[in-house]
C-alpha cells in the first residue's frame, strides 16, 4: 500500500525523508501483526528493539560524545512516529526521550559515562517514576521523600503508573526533601535507583492498554542509596525535569501521530476497495469527508510536533508551549482518525485482525498523560493568553 504521508510537508531537515524510509522499512518488517502477537503472549518486542538499536535509531538524540548521533529530538520524533505508523507504538521510546536528556544536561560526568552510551546503544534502559496516587499533574505534591542517611540517601514513598520496570536496568525516581516551604511544597531531586534494591516492591497495574510495557505501582520502604545516586543538584529537580518533560510531550505526540497515520492508511485503503451496490464506499462523501477532515487535523498535529522538536533542539524558550500544543493536538487528531477508520471498516473495525480497535486506548492515553488536556489548556491560558492563573 503506497503511503498517504510520503511527503516532506513536516520534515525539518533534508535527511528526514531518508530516515523515515529507513525506519519504516525496518519496523515494517515486523509490523502490526508482530506487535499484536507480542502483546497477546505478554512478551516483549526484544527483536524489534534490538534491530532498532543496531540501526542506531535509539540514540539519535544523544551526543556523539556518548555514543549517539547527536542529531537531536527532531530525528527522534521521526523515529518514534514512523515506528507507530507501522503499527508498533513503543512507549519505551517515550521513556528514552525523558531520561537521556536529563542525564546529559544535568548529571555528573560519572553518571553520563555510565548511562548514556548504554542508552544510546539500547543495551541499557531506564524507567521514569514521577506520578503518585495523590500527585499527578501537581508535581509539587510529590510525597516520596529522599532524606540524608549518613553518606548516602534513604528513599521512602509510593509511585504510580511507572512503565516497564520489569525491563529496565534502573529507575529514575523523582523525590522531595523532608522540609516543606510555606506553601507546603518540597524541593525536588532526581535519583537513579536499582530496580532490585532492598526495600522496593512492585505491583503490576491491570490496564486496558494493548502494549508490551507493563505499568506498575512502586513502593519504596527505606531504600538505601549511595551519595552518587543523585542526578544533578539536590533541590533543583524541578528545573532538571524540564530537560525531559518537553521531549516526553513531543514523543507522546509522535506516537499518536504515527497511530493516526496507520489508521488513515488503513481507512482510506478500505474505503477505496470496499464496494456496496457496485460503488466503492469511498466515493460517498459521508465516508470520504470524515476521513479527509481527520487527515487535515493529523497533518496539522504533525507540523506542530515537528516544529516543537526543532525548537527544543534550538534551545528555544518557546519549545514548552509548542510541546504542550503538539501533545494536545496529536491526541485529539489521532482519536478522530482512529474513530473514522474504525467506522469506515464497519464491523471489521472492531475485529482485532484489522489492527485498529486495540490501538484505541493507547491513543486515548495521551489525552490524559503525560500531561492532561486540562493542564495544557491551563498552561496556554496563563502563559500564551496572559490570563490569570486558575488553580
Amino acid at each position: 500500500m503506497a503511503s498517504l504521508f510520503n511527503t516532506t510537508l513536516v520534515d525539518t531537515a533534508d535527511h528526514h525523508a531518508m530516515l523515515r524510509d529507513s525506519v519504516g522499512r525496518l519496523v515494517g518488517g515486523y509490523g502490526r501483526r508482530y506487535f499484536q502477537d507480542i502483546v497477546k503472549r505478554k512478551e516483549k518486542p526484544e527483536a524489534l528493539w534490538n534491530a532498532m538499536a543496531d540501526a542506531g535509531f535509539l540514540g539519535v538524540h544523544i551526543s556523539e560524545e556518548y555514543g549517539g548521533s547527536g542529531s537531536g529530538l527532531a530525528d527522534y520524533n521521526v523515529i518514534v512516529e514512523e515506528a507507530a505508523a507501522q503499527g508498533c507504538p513503543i512507549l519505551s521510546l517515550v521513556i528514552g526521550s525523558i531520561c537521556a536528556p536529563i542525564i546529559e544536561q544535568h548529571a555528573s560526568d560519572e553518571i553520563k559515562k555510565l548511562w548514556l552510551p548504554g542508552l544510546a546503544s539500547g543495551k541499557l534502559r531506564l524507567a521514569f517514576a514521577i506520578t503518585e496516587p495523590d500527585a499527578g499533574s501537581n508535581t509539587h505534591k510529590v510525597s516520596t521523600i529522599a532524606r540524608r542517611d549518613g553518606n548516602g540517601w534513604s528513599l521512602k514513598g509510593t509511585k504510580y503508573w511507572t512503565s516497564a520496570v520489569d525491563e529496565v536496568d534502573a529507575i529514575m525516581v523523582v523525590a522531595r526533601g523532608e522540609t516543606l516551604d510555606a506553601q507546603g511544597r518540597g524541593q525536588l531531586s532526581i535519583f537513579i535507583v536499582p530496580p532490585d534494591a532492598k526495600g522496593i516492591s512492585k505491583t503490576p497495574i491491570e490496564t486496558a492498554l494493548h502494549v508490551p510495557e507493563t505499568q506498575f505501582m512502586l513502593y519504596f520502604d527505606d531504600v538505601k542509596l549511595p551519595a552518587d545516586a543523585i542526578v544533578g543538584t539536590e533541590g533543583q529537580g524541578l528545573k532538571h525535569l524540564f530537560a525531559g518533560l518537553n521531549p516526553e510531550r513531543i514523543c507522546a505526540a509522535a506516537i499518536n501521530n504515527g497511530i493516526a497515520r496507520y489508521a488513515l492508511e488503513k481507512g482510506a485503503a478500505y474505503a477505496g476497495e470496499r464496494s456496496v451496490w457496485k460503488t466503492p464506499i469511498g466515493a460517498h462523501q459521508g465516508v470520504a469527508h470524515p476521513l479527509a477532515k481527520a487527515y487535515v487535523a493529523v497533518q496539522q498535529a504533525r507540523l506542530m510536533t515537528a516544529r516543537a522538536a526543532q525548537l527544543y533542539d534550538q534551545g528555544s524558550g518557546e519549545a514548552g508551549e509548542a510541546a504542550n500544543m503538539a501533545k494536545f493536538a496529536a491526541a485529539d487528531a489521532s482519536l478522530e482518525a482512529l474513530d473514522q477508520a474504525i467506522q469506515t471498516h464497519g464491523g471489521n473495525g472492531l475485529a482485532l485482525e484489522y489492527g485498529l480497535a486495540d490501538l484505541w486506548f493507547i491513543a486515548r492515553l495521551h489525552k490524559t498523560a503525560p500531561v492532561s488536556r486540562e493542564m495544557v489548556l491551563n498552561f496556554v491560558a496563563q502563559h500564551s493568553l496572559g490570563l490569570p492563573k486558575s488553580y
Side-chain angles (χ1 to χ4, degrees), residues 60-262:
V60 298
H61 59 315
I62 296 172
S63 296
E64 290 182 273
E65 178 184 358
Y66 298 107
S69 67
S71 50
L73 198 62
D75 279 18
Y76 200 66
N77 167 56
V78 169
I79 291 163
V80 176
E81 182 192 292
E82 290 300 321
Q86 300 300 323
C88 301
I90 305 172
L91 284 178
S92 291
L93 292 176
V94 180
I95 299 171
S97 76
I98 308 167
C99 298
I102 290 174
I103 290 174
E104 185 159 356
Q105 294 181 35
H106 298 293
S108 66
D109 287 340
E110 290 75 19
I111 289 179
K112 291 178 185 179
K113 291 173 183 176
L114 179 63
W115 284 100
L116 290 176
L119 294 175
S121 68
K123 292 186 172 20
L124 291 178
R125 293 175 61 181
L126 288 167
F128 181 68
I130 184 170
T131 302
E132 297 182 0
D134 296 316
S137 297
N138 187 359
T139 305
H140 290 294
K141 291 284 287 183
V142 162
S143 61
T144 299
I145 293 176
R147 62 176 179 81
R148 292 279 187 175
D149 185 11
N151 293 327
W153 305 88
S154 177
L155 201 62
K156 190 175 184 64
T158 303
K159 293 294 180 183
Y160 193 46
W161 280 96
T162 304
S163 299
V165 175
D166 54 338
E167 302 179 60
V168 302
D169 301 280
I171 310 164
M172 184 176 282
V173 180
V174 179
R176 68 167 175 84
E178 294 183 276
T179 305
L180 299 177
D181 64 16
Q183 296 174 296
R185 302 183 302 187
Q187 290 188 317
L188 303 181
S189 299
I190 303 172
F191 299 86
I192 294 181
V193 183
D196 57 353
K198 184 179 179 181
I200 294 181
S201 57
K202 319 173 190 74
T203 302
I205 301 169
E206 189 172 356
T207 78
L209 301 174
H210 288 255
V211 294
E213 294 89 354
T214 304
Q215 310 300 316
F216 287 88
M217 175 85 85
L218 300 179
Y219 304 91
F220 302 91
D221 185 11
D222 197 25
V223 176
K224 305 297 185 184
L225 300 174
D228 60 2
I230 192 167
V231 177
T233 304
E234 180 183 0
Q236 296 296 308
L238 185 62
K239 178 181 177 182
H240 297 343
L241 279 173
F242 284 101
L245 295 186
N246 285 330
E248 180 188 28
R249 289 162 194 185
I250 291 167
C251 290
I255 286 229
N256 279 50
N257 290 334
I259 289 173
R261 284 178 49 192
Y262 177 85

